[in-house]
Amino acid sequence: MPKVFIERENKHVEVTASSVKEILQKLKINPEVVIISKNNELVTEDSKVSEKDEIKLLSVISGG
Amino acid sequence: MRYARQEKLIGKQAQKELSKKTVAIVGLGALGTNVSSLLARSGINLKLIDFDKIDLTNLQRQSLYTEKDVNKQKAITSEKKLKEINSEISITSFNEKLNDSNLHLLDSNLVIDCTDNLTTRFLINDYCYNKIPWIHTAAIKETGVLFNIIPNKPCLKCIYKKNIDLDRCEDFGVLNSIVSLIASLALTQSIKILLNKDPETNLIRFNIWNNNLEKIKVNKTCEKCQKSS
C-alpha cells in the first residue's frame, strides 16, 4: 500500500489504491485544495501509484 | 563602496549589471516589504505595486513599516522608506490594484509575486507567460513556498489548476520568521535569474517549525505549456 502524508492533518496513512484519484476519493479530499507530490515530483490526479510510492497531499500556501 | 561585500561574491561586472535591472514587486505586505528591502540594499531598481493601507496587525511582519505609518498607503510609504535605504537606485510606486487594465505595470526584468491570492497570481502568470521571468512566493502559518517561473519552463498553472478560496493569514496566522526566510530565498533567486546564473527549477517548500525543506520537481502539465513544448 502506498504511504500517504496528509499535510493539513500532519498525519501518515496507508491507502490501498492504484491511482492518486483513488487515494483522494478514499480519503474524501477535494483535489482542488491540495497539490500532490509522488516521490518528490508534482503529479496530477491521473497518476498511477505503486506500493513503494511516497505520496504527499500538500496544502496550497496562500499568504503574502 | 556601498556594494563592496556583495561584489566580493558576485563580481564588479555582475553588480554593474544588477544596477541596470528593474524588479516589479506585486504586493507590499510581509513578503513584499522584506524582499524589497533586500533588493534595494543589493542595488536593484524597483517598481512597487499595492493598493492597500497599513494596519496595526501588519507591523508584526511587514518590516518597512512602523507605528507612525498605520493607515498610510503601503506603496507610497514603501517607496519613501526604500529611498532612505538606497537613494542611488530608481524606485517608483503605484498605488493600484493589479487588474486586466494595468498589467503593463509588470513590464520589467523580473516580477516577484508577493500577493495573497490566486486571482492576481493567474493575472501575473498570463501576462508574463514566456516573456518575463517571475518568482511565485507565499507563506502562511509556519510554511512558505517559492517557485521560479522562467520563460519556456513550467508555469504557475502546472502547479495550481484552478482559482480557489485559500486559507488566509488573518484566520490561520503566520510566523514572521518564515516570511523573512522566503524573502531571503527570493532575493537570492532574483540575483540568479537577473544574472542568468542557474536559478532553482524545483518548487521549494520550507516548514520553519520543523526545519523541513522540500524540493519538488514540477513538470509541464498545464494545457498551454504542453502545447508550447
Side-chain angles (χ1 to χ4, degrees), chain B:
Chain B
M1 276 301 285
R2 175 188 285 262
Y3 307 112
R5 302 295 184 273
Q6 186 165 285
E7 281 176 358
K8 288 264 182 204
L9 279 172
I10 65 171
K12 278 194 173 178
Q13 187 54 37
Q15 187 62 50
K16 207 172 175 181
E17 276 181 52
L18 288 182
S19 73
K20 294 173 189 161
K21 306 289 187 184
T22 298
V23 173
I25 298 175
V26 187
L28 291 152
L31 288 163
T33 52
N34 278 280
V35 78
S36 63
S37 170
L38 294 171
L39 287 160
R41 289 173 199 278
S42 300
I44 299 165
N45 306 298
L46 297 171
K47 288 170 88 174
L48 311 168
I49 307 159
D50 200 312
F51 67 99
D52 207 0
K53 285 183 177 175
I54 299 154
D55 183 84
L56 185 63
T57 61
N58 298 157
L59 301 188
Q60 168 246 1
R61 63 201 179 283
Q62 302 187 13
S63 61
L64 288 178
Y65 312 136
T66 62
E67 290 175 4
K68 287 180 187 167
D69 301 320
V70 171
N71 291 325
K72 291 180 184 171
Q73 297 292 341
K74 288 186 174 180
I76 295 159
T77 307
S78 293
E79 180 185 341
K80 184 172 167 276
K81 299 291 175 82
L82 292 165
K83 281 180 172 169
E84 286 172 8
I85 290 169
N86 191 344
S87 60
E88 295 173 5
I89 56 170
S90 162
I91 305 173
T92 46
S93 63
F94 302 90
N95 184 29
E96 295 182 43
K97 185 172 186 172
L98 202 67
N99 57 51
D100 283 327
S101 64
N102 63 2
L103 290 171
H104 62 276
L105 295 178
L106 299 174
D107 290 338
S108 61
N109 300 105
L110 172 71
V111 175
I112 305 184
D113 148 38
C114 299
T115 66
D116 60 0
N117 64 86
L118 280 175
T119 304
T120 310
R121 288 178 174 129
F122 284 140
L123 279 177
I124 298 170
N125 194 60
D126 288 346
Y127 187 78
C128 294
Y129 193 81
N130 279 356
K131 184 171 67 175
I132 304 171
W134 66 285
I135 304 175
H136 160 54
T137 67
I140 196 166
K141 295 195 282 189
E142 69 292 277
T143 302
V145 296
L146 177 143
F147 183 59
N148 293 329
I149 297 162
I150 310 291
N152 302 314
K153 303 280 184 190
C155 77
L156 191 73
K157 284 182 179 165
C158 297
I159 303 175
Y160 311 118
K161 305 297 174 201
K162 283 186 179 171
N163 193 356
I164 54 165
D165 285 333
L166 298 168
D167 296 343
R168 291 150 45 102
C169 292
E170 292 95 304
D171 303 319
F172 290 86
V174 60
L175 287 177
N176 56 18
S177 52
I178 187 62
V179 167
S180 55
L181 186 141
I182 295 295
S184 297
L185 293 177
L187 178 276
T188 313
Q189 292 305 313
S190 298
I191 291 174
K192 294 184 92 170
I193 292 169
L194 293 171
L195 297 178
N196 202 16
K197 289 194 180 292
D198 195 23
E200 177 65 53
T201 56
N202 294 298
L203 170 67
I204 301 294
R205 288 178 116 255
F206 195 90
N207 180 315
I208 205 162
W209 196 257
N210 59 24
N211 289 325
N212 184 38
L213 170 69
E214 285 183 282
K215 292 173 93 167
I216 304 170
K217 188 180 177 195
V218 181
N219 298 302
K220 288 186 173 185
T221 52
C222 82
E223 207 175 318
K224 201 170 175 182
C225 284
Q226 283 190 327
K227 271 184 189 171
S228 72
S229 58

Side-chain angles (χ1 to χ4, degrees), chain A:
Chain A
M1 281 188 287
K3 285 178 185 162
V4 181
F5 174 64
I6 310 167
E7 187 185 46
R8 199 177 183 92
E9 297 170 28
N10 194 26
K11 73 175 183 187
H12 290 87
V13 293
E14 288 192 347
V15 183
T16 307
S18 60
S19 71
V20 169
K21 196 172 190 173
E22 205 180 337
I23 290 172
L24 294 170
Q25 281 170 349
K26 286 193 172 174
L27 294 173
K28 294 181 179 156
I29 291 175
N30 178 355
E32 290 178 6
V33 302
V34 288
I35 60 171
I36 307 140
S37 86
K38 181 173 91 175
N39 309 326
N40 291 322
E41 184 168 346
L42 276 197
V43 293
T44 60
E45 276 182 82
D46 304 326
S47 181
K48 298 288 175 203
V49 294
S50 67
E51 232 173 79
K52 288 178 185 171
D53 288 331
E54 189 187 357
I55 308 295
K56 291 180 184 171
L57 306 178
L58 303 167
S59 306
V60 177
I61 304 294
S62 54

